[in-house]
Amino acid sequence: MSSDSSSLHSSAVINEAVQALRDGGLVAFPTETVYGLGADAKNPDAIKKIFTAKGRPSNHPLIVHLAAPDKFDRAQIDWVPVLAPWVRDLSEDALKLINTFWPGPLTLVFKKDKSVLNELTGGQDTVAIRAPAHPISQALLRQFQGGIVAPSANRFGKVSPTSAADVRDEFDDVLDLMILDGGDCEVGIESTIIDLSSSDRAVLLRPGLITPSEISTKTGIKVYLPGEDAVSKRDAALPRVSGSLRAHYAPTTPLRMYASGRILDALSEFPDIKSQVAVAVWDSDSSLGEDGHPSVHFEEVIVPSDSTVFTSRLYRTLRDLDQQGWDLILFPEPPPGEEWDGVRDRLQRACFGSGPSFSNHANS
């Protein structure tokens, strides 16, 4: 069942979705990052349905989505009562990040309140929370008046969905899944995740659109990377979060990255040389030209060299190429720089998990 875009915000459709969630069902809904597969965060049976539908390991934590409080005529929103049922303590830094970036593509990890279900935290004492910016997700959350847990609405480890049609493709066998259609996702990759659970510092657990330097510029908060001297001692204790497995976001077609001008090197990994190869090339580059190989049919796919546009189209491109029957997909390595870290992270995991033998990787 899917609502058509003309009635996007019709209260009837939102009410129907809210009722489905209250009844312990699943509802797929758009966020600015990717589509989520949502369930009532206070209902253990509904949460188990997510893991079953996705084929996701139950020790893999979920993100709780919350509505932004109504602002009315106040200069600053009061987030404390919104977070109080979920979080053990809110630092000044946490409130700075929240007031600067929420609603938006930033997930924060806190020590959890004791009432938060183990089913959604993967048995950890931390909980990941965000307030999505998409108007449909906000309308749904406001009306629901509670937390909705929602990993990406796709089979575990596969390419995340950025349109309602992608969700339908993934779950065509789940007959009673309600899908709210909010058009194409603007950001296109999952949120940035920052760990605040050890109170003394902010640690980046997953890169996304919001970068450490943007956080530093707007809030003065320094974000550490796992492994930086100051945090390496407690690295082992960093919480597990969504999207942190080595193989993830992956197409079924083998995917590899190539360094500038080194397409043949990427091909040499496949000694039984693949015959039909899709090669993504930057719109700023000249065509493949001399990189040809006698027994290979290359087709160029132009990808944008602007990081924001590239990010917003990454999953769409991977999903489309995966359905076109190529033997191999080659992507250029993203250039250095923080604004490319999110897509670099997704592409590395997608390469590792790609190909029909995905489950072998997942177990290794």
Side-chain angles (χ1 to χ4, degrees), residues 86-147:
W86 303 94
V87 170
R88 205 179 309 164
D89 58 312
L90 267 177
S91 64
E92 211 171 301
D93 277 1
L95 285 168
K96 248 187 227 171
L97 289 168
I98 287 166
N99 285 314
T100 307
F101 293 107
W102 281 10
L106 179 70
T107 294
L108 299 176
V109 176
F110 303 96
K111 283 271 185 267
K112 77 179 185 74
D113 182 82
K114 60 181 180 303
S115 66
V116 175
L117 295 173
N118 279 328
E119 283 85 352
L120 74 83
T121 64
Q124 305 181 103
D125 65 349
T126 53
V127 62
I129 299 182
R130 93 176 182 99
H134 196 290
I136 292 180
S137 49
Q138 278 296 325
L140 177 67
L141 285 157
R142 280 231 165 86
Q143 192 72 16
F144 182 65
Q145 297 185 330

Side-chain angles (χ1 to χ4, degrees), residues 187-239:
V187 174
I189 62 169
E190 297 76 7
S191 56
T192 304
I193 301 182
I194 303 286
D195 176 32
L196 300 171
S197 64
S198 71
S199 71
D200 57 339
R201 62 184 75 248
V203 182
L204 179 72
L205 299 186
R206 178 173 75 185
L209 182 73
I210 295 172
T211 60
S213 52
E214 186 185 353
I215 288 172
S216 166
T217 305
K218 290 183 175 170
T219 65
I221 294 168
K222 173 168 169 52
V223 175
Y224 291 83
L225 302 180
E228 279 191 68
D229 283 351
V231 289
S232 52
K233 282 193 278 303
R234 39 170 291 271
D235 263 3
L238 287 174

Side-chain angles (χ1 to χ4, degrees), residues 158-187:
K158 292 300 175 188
V159 181
S160 302
T162 53
S163 74
D166 292 346
V167 181
R168 272 192 289 280
D169 283 349
E170 289 282 317
F171 295 110
D172 54 356
D173 56 340
V174 182
L175 296 175
D176 56 350
L177 175 65
M178 182 170 184
I179 301 172
L180 296 177
D181 188 342
D184 292 337
C185 299
E186 204 176 307
V187 174

Side-chain angles (χ1 to χ4, degrees), residues 271-354:
D272 54 335
I273 208 70
K274 303 292 182 187
S275 52
Q276 304 284 325
V277 181
V279 183
V281 287
W282 299 116
D283 54 15
S284 51
D285 275 357
S286 60
S287 80
L288 296 171
E290 301 309 299
D291 239 336
H293 187 286
S295 63
V296 178
H297 168 66
F298 284 113
E299 196 158 311
E300 286 183 26
V301 180
I302 305 297
V303 291
S305 44
D306 173 88
S307 65
T308 310
V309 184
F310 181 92
T311 304
S312 71
R313 295 185 195 158
L314 172 64
Y315 289 155
R316 164 85 288 120
T317 307
L318 284 179
R319 202 169 256 277
D320 290 347
L321 290 172
D322 200 21
Q323 289 165 355
Q324 288 167 15
W326 297 100
D327 295 314
L328 177 65
I329 301 167
L330 295 178
F331 255 72
E333 287 175 1
E338 247 186 23
E339 70 278 18
W340 288 97
D341 284 352
V343 290
R344 184 178 301 107
D345 169 76
R346 304 312 189 275
L347 274 169
Q348 284 166 345
R349 294 177 200 276
C351 286
F352 187 75
S354 69

Side-chain angles (χ1 to χ4, degrees), residues 2-14 136 180-181:
S2 159
S3 57
D4 94 84
S5 317
S6 59
S7 60
L8 279 191
H9 300 287
S10 90
S11 52
V13 172
I14 297 291
I136 292 180
L180 296 177
D181 188 342

Side-chain angles (χ1 to χ4, degrees), residues 49-58 154-157 171 358:
K49 284 184 190 170
I50 289 184
F51 287 100
T52 306
K54 281 180 65 77
R56 179 184 175 109
S58 60
N154 55 303
R155 304 290 177 183
F156 182 66
F171 295 110
F358 166 70

